[in-house]
Structure formats: structure tokens, C-alpha cells
């Protein structure tokens, strides 16, 4: 007989609040079996799913993405088409994260230059900061116009 774990044991082992475990059950992400007394009992597979959820949340996946795309199929049910779908989704998520990283690197550079300018306020540093701000502003406006054009083009017949 497989070992089953109580909600209390799972909460302690994985550091997940019991309310979160109940929520996951309610929305169908991880649904443990119920015994005659209606208590949740978690299997080893449920624990693995919960650990994977924690990893995916750490990687900035939403619960909706986790539930919708991954669906936690057991190994015996995985098809090549499913693997390709998940791989494509992971590629898209990686691209999204790389875009965020590039943005945050620009913000970090801007903040660093602004702080240095304020520490040594002089016309040369002030000019350098102004040039960077203008460049970032132009990039923002360019990205916004690209988004606007894409959005408008989608609605043309």
C-alpha cells in the first residue's frame, strides 16, 4: 500500500500553507484523494506535483498557466504533441523573461547614472543622463507605436 500524507504533513514538508493546499484542490491543480472522513490524503505523485508547482511559481508562472498548460499529466499519458506544446510554451515564457531582464538592465543603468549624476552634479554628467533618458524615451515610444500598429492591423479586413 502506498504511503499517503495528511495535509498537515504536506504543509510541513513542503512549506506550503494548508490554505494554499486547499485552494489548489478547489481549483483542480492538485486534487488529493479523500478518505471516508473526507480528509485530504496526498500521494507521492501529489507531492511531486506540488514541488513542481513551487518551482514553476519561482520561475514566475501564474497558477492559470500552470493549470492550463501543464495539467500535470503522468508520464504514461504524455504524448509527443503534449511535449511539443509544453516546449513551445516554455520557449515563449523564456523569451518573455529575457525581455523583462533587458528592460530591468536598462532601468538599472538609468538609476545608476542618475545616482552618480546627483553625487557629482556637473553639466557633463547631467548631459550624459539627459541623453540616456532621451534614448530610453525614444525606445519606449517606438515600442508603443509598434504595439499600436500591430493592434490596428489585426482589426483590418
Amino acid at each position: 500500500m502506498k504511503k499517503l500524507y495528511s495535509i498537515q504533513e504536506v504543509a510541513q514538508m513542503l512549506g506550503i500553507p494548508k490554505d494554499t493546499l486547499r485552494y489548489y484542490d478547489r481549483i483542480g491543480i492538485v486534487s488529493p484523494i479523500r478518505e471516508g472522513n473526507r480528509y485530504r490524503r496526498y500521494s507521492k505523485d501529489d507531492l511531486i506535483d506540488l514541488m513542481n508547482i513551487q518551482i514553476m511559481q519561482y520561475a514566475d508562472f501564474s497558477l492559470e498557466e500552470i493549470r492550463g498548460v501543464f495539467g500535470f499529466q503522468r508520464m504514461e499519458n504524455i504524448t509527443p504533441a503534449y511535449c511539443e506544446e509544453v516546449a513551445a510554451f516554455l520557449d515563449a515564457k523564456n523569451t518573455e523573461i529575457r525581455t523583462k531582464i533587458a528592460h530591468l538592465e536598462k532601468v538599472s543603468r538609468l538609476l545608476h547614472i542618475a545616482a552618480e549624476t546627483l553625487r557629482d552634479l556637473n553639466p557633463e554628467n547631467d548631459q550624459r543622463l539627459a541623453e540616456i533618458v532621451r534614448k530610453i524615451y525614444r525606445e519606449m515610444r517606438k515600442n508603443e507605436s509598434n504595439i499600436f500598429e500591430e493592434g490596428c492591423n489585426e482589426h483590418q479586413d
Side-chain angles (χ1 to χ4, degrees):
M1 183 171 165
K2 290 184 177 182
K3 171 140 175 70
L4 297 176
Y5 302 89
S6 71
I7 195 169
Q8 179 69 35
E9 291 171 316
V10 172
Q12 287 177 342
M13 282 189 289
L14 301 180
I16 300 173
K18 290 188 286 187
D19 286 342
T20 300
L21 294 169
R22 289 183 192 104
Y23 179 70
Y24 289 169
D25 186 11
R26 199 167 44 253
I27 65 172
I29 289 184
V30 175
S31 298
I33 62 170
R34 301 282 187 128
E35 294 183 331
N37 59 11
R38 303 289 300 146
Y39 290 159
R40 292 170 178 86
R41 302 297 287 176
Y42 293 84
S43 68
K44 180 181 175 187
D45 287 337
D46 293 330
L47 295 179
I48 291 169
D49 287 348
L50 288 165
M51 287 186 276
N52 285 330
I53 289 168
Q54 287 180 304
I55 291 167
M56 286 185 275
Q57 284 183 314
Y58 179 76
D60 206 26
F61 287 92
S62 70
L63 287 178
E64 201 53 45
E65 290 171 323
I66 292 168
R67 186 173 76 178
V69 174
F70 295 100
F72 292 110
Q73 298 188 27
R74 300 286 179 235
M75 285 303 291
E76 61 271 8
N77 298 329
I78 292 179
T79 65
Y82 172 77
C83 290
E84 184 55 40
E85 178 186 345
V86 171
F89 178 78
L90 294 175
D91 287 341
K93 190 68 171 182
N94 191 36
T95 299
E96 177 186 321
I97 288 172
R98 294 252 174 241
T99 301
K100 286 179 184 178
I101 289 169
H103 170 75
L104 291 173
E105 286 174 344
K106 288 177 186 176
V107 170
S108 175
R109 195 171 111 229
L110 175 65
L111 295 174
H112 174 75
I113 291 170
E116 291 303 311
T117 299
L118 291 172
R119 284 189 185 94
D120 183 23
L121 193 57
N122 63 53
E124 182 182 313
N125 284 348
D126 189 45
Q127 183 61 34
R128 192 173 106 209
L129 178 61
E131 288 172 22
I132 290 170
V133 168
R134 279 192 296 275
K135 180 181 175 190
I136 291 172
Y137 183 75
R138 280 192 302 272
E139 287 178 19
M140 284 174 24
R141 300 303 295 169
K142 178 184 167 205
N143 290 339
E144 286 176 7
S145 65
N146 288 343
I147 291 168
F148 179 74
E149 288 172 15
E150 289 171 11
C152 289
N153 291 337
E154 289 174 8
H155 297 289
Q156 293 177 353
D157 292 323

